[in-house]
């Protein structure tokens, strides 16, 4: 039964990201484009009341309907309760990017990466934000290493571990 709820959450998130209100129709929810995804989120909320993951879906629903400031207010309220929720920080950065506020997106992403510093995709997103903000392109800088060759730093740091002295 756990898989049903995980599937419904994934289905709802995918439908919101793709802008497809009709996806859930095949999975037992009567088709009404205005309320179908709201019904899916409502079922999840009944099963998991006050869950931050369900709250993210409500925020994504607001984003999909164009209410970006409403989504930000919801995300701010969730962060007041749980400041270490990675999904909320990621959604906030996405909303600021949609609003065209790359400065605020970069600031939020820096705060996120202070906590979740091992998130490689977050670092790549930050690099992309800085590049777009300062109108830099990939051609502006040569690659640090030749393509398809291992990093010399990685090779040199692992070399002593695999040799006998």
């Amino acid at each position: 039964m756990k898989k049903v709820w995980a599937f419904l959450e994934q289905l709802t998130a995918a439908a919101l990201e793709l802008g497809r209100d009709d996806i859930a129709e095949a999975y037992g929810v009567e088709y009404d484009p205005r309320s179908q995804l709201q019904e899916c989120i409502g079922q999840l909320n009944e099963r998991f009341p006050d869950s931050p993951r369900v709250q993210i879906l409500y925020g994504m629903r607001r984003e999909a309907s164009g209410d970006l400031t409403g989504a930000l207010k919801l995300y701010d309220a969730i962060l007041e309760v749980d400041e270490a929720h990675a999904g909320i920080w990621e959604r906030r950065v996405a909303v600021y990017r949609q609003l065209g506020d790359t400065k605020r997106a970069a600031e939020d992403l820096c705060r996120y990466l202070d906590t979740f510093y091992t998130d490689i995709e977050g670092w790549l997103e930050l690099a992309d934000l800085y590049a777009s903000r300062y109108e830099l392109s990939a051609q502006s800088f040569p690659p640090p290493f030749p393509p398809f060759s291992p990093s010399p730093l990685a090779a040199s740091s692992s070399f002593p571990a695999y040799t006998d002295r």
Side-chain angles (χ1 to χ4, degrees):
M1 192 64 174
K2 288 182 181 180
K3 291 181 180 181
V4 170
W5 299 111
F7 174 76
L8 189 58
E9 178 188 13
Q10 291 171 359
L11 174 73
T12 305
L16 288 168
E17 287 176 1
L18 295 173
R20 295 278 313 271
D21 288 343
D22 61 325
I23 287 177
E25 178 181 16
Y27 297 97
V29 179
E30 278 188 38
Y31 181 68
D32 178 1
R34 294 179 310 272
S35 66
Q36 186 175 28
L37 289 175
Q38 195 66 29
E39 176 67 26
C40 291
I41 297 170
Q43 289 177 15
L44 287 165
N45 194 41
E46 284 177 22
R47 178 70 170 100
F48 307 101
D50 301 322
S51 167
R53 288 169 53 173
V54 175
Q55 295 302 314
I56 288 175
L57 294 175
Y58 278 119
M60 289 175 70
R61 180 71 172 142
R62 287 185 177 183
E63 289 177 50
S65 68
D67 183 15
L68 299 178
T69 56
L72 280 174
K73 288 178 184 176
L74 177 63
Y75 297 151
D76 288 339
I78 297 168
L79 284 176
E80 285 180 15
V81 176
D82 181 13
E83 193 174 280
H85 196 286
I88 300 297
W89 285 103
E90 292 168 357
R91 293 307 319 160
R92 281 175 52 98
V93 170
V95 170
Y96 284 126
R97 281 201 86 155
Q98 288 178 32
L99 290 171
D101 190 352
T102 56
K103 180 181 179 192
R104 188 69 188 266
E107 289 171 358
D108 269 14
L109 195 49
C110 285
R111 288 184 15 211
Y112 166 79
L113 289 170
D114 280 343
T115 304
F116 304 99
Y117 52 87
T118 60
D119 184 353
I120 301 298
E121 285 146 3
W123 288 106
L124 293 173
E125 179 79 14
L126 185 61
D128 184 57
L129 278 169
Y130 283 142
S132 67
R133 188 165 170 216
Y134 298 110
E135 298 179 5
L136 302 174
S137 68
Q139 291 84 17
S140 301
F141 303 98
F145 306 110
F148 305 111
S149 71
S151 164
L153 295 175
S156 66
S157 65
S158 64
F159 180 73
Y162 297 108
T163 60
D164 292 328
R165 290 187 179 203

